[in-house]
Amino acid sequence: MGKSPTSYNDVVAYAADPNFDRRTVTFATLSVDVVPGQAVTSAGAAYASGSDCLLALSAARAGSNVPVITADRGIYVKPATIIAVNGETVGAAAIAALTANGNIRVTAPDAE
C-alpha cells in the first residue's frame, strides 16, 4: 500500500472563520510541487529557514502562474503534519516562522 496524500483536514485542526483562515496566492513561478502542509516561500521556492514562510493548504504542481491556497489567520494547525511533510528540521523552522505573529497557532500534541 502506498502513502495517502495529505489534505486540508490533515493540516488544519480548527479555523475560527472559514472566510479568513485561507487565502489564495498566485505564484509567478512555483519551483516545487506542493501538498497540504508543505512550507514554501513567497517567491514559490521550497522553504528552508527564515521568516518568509507560507503554509500550503492545497496541492499544486510546479509551474508558472500557479494558484495555491495558503493558511492566513485565525487558524490552528497540526504540527505533526507539518513536520511529516517538511522533515524534522525544516518543519520546526516553518512552525516557528508561521506562529511568530500569532495569526497561526499550533494544537497541543494531545489534542490531535
Side-chain angles (χ1 to χ4, degrees):
M1 293 185 103
K3 188 176 169 185
S4 61
T6 56
S7 69
Y8 173 90
N9 292 331
D10 294 321
V11 179
V12 177
Y14 173 78
D17 187 333
N19 293 315
F20 298 109
D21 69 340
R22 68 196 90 178
R23 65 186 165 121
T24 301
V25 176
T26 301
F27 294 99
T29 302
L30 183 62
S31 59
V32 294
D33 292 344
V34 297
V35 297
Q38 185 164 358
V40 294
T41 67
S42 59
Y47 174 81
S49 64
S51 61
D52 182 13
C53 184
L54 300 173
L55 181 63
L57 298 178
S58 65
R61 296 250 185 229
S64 298
N65 298 318
V66 180
V68 177
I69 298 170
T70 62
D72 194 8
R73 59 186 182 253
I75 189 171
Y76 280 81
V77 295
K78 300 174 184 177
T81 302
I82 297 169
I83 290 170
V85 170
N86 297 283
E88 185 90 24
T89 304
V90 173
I95 291 167
L98 292 165
T99 59
N101 68 6
N103 288 337
I104 297 174
R105 297 178 181 186
V106 294
T107 59
D110 61 343
E112 292 182 354

